Amino acid sequence: EDCVGEKNHDRIYSLSTEPVLEVHVHPDDSVSDLKRRLQQQFGQSWGLDGRRLDRDKIATGWELVGHGDILSYHLFLQSYNIKNNDIIYAVVRRYNEVER
């Protein structure tokens, strides 16, 4: 089902129209390493600046999803069988100022 602009339980969900970004990683990279790199490159444009940081210095409120799984920070990309040209989605929760 398409959830663009669909209202569900008083929350509005939308899909980004941002372009696909190519990132070069190695299968031995951890999910935390990838999140840290993405946050450094795109954190400001994704609205991650000013959010609380977790113990790995990664902003809270966003996840990476690949092959239908939320990628856990303590595992490696090879743990999810992620290969060259696979698509990984960055799912970023929108915050209002009150939630920061």
Side-chain angles (χ1 to χ4, degrees):
E1 245 182 272
D2 188 4
C3 64
V4 175
E6 180 179 310
K7 196 167 185 180
N8 185 4
H9 296 97
D10 295 327
R11 293 178 186 244
I12 295 178
Y13 297 90
S14 63
L15 299 176
S16 173
T17 58
E18 294 293 319
V20 173
L21 308 166
E22 187 173 349
V23 179
H24 297 279
V25 295
H26 190 275
D28 291 333
D29 288 344
S30 71
V31 172
S32 285
D33 291 339
L34 176 56
K35 285 185 78 171
R36 205 174 291 106
R37 278 186 54 201
L38 292 171
Q39 179 175 294
Q40 184 178 24
Q41 289 179 303
F42 308 107
Q44 185 175 15
S45 63
W46 290 355
L48 300 177
D49 288 353
R51 294 186 187 198
R52 286 177 292 165
L53 301 178
D54 66 14
R55 66 180 179 202
D56 292 323
K57 305 282 191 259
I58 298 170
T60 58
W62 71 291
E63 300 293 340
L64 295 177
V65 177
H67 300 283
D69 294 317
I70 296 175
L71 307 185
S72 183
Y73 69 92
H74 67 283
L75 295 178
F76 297 89
L77 297 178
Q78 68 183 353
S79 304
Y80 293 99
N81 201 27
I82 293 174
K83 296 184 172 85
N84 191 30
N85 295 321
D86 282 355
I87 295 177
I88 299 173
Y89 298 91
V91 180
V92 181
R93 180 173 181 238
R94 294 181 192 228
Y95 279 95
N96 7 19
E97 290 298 318
V98 175
E99 295 178 290
R100 288 185 185 221

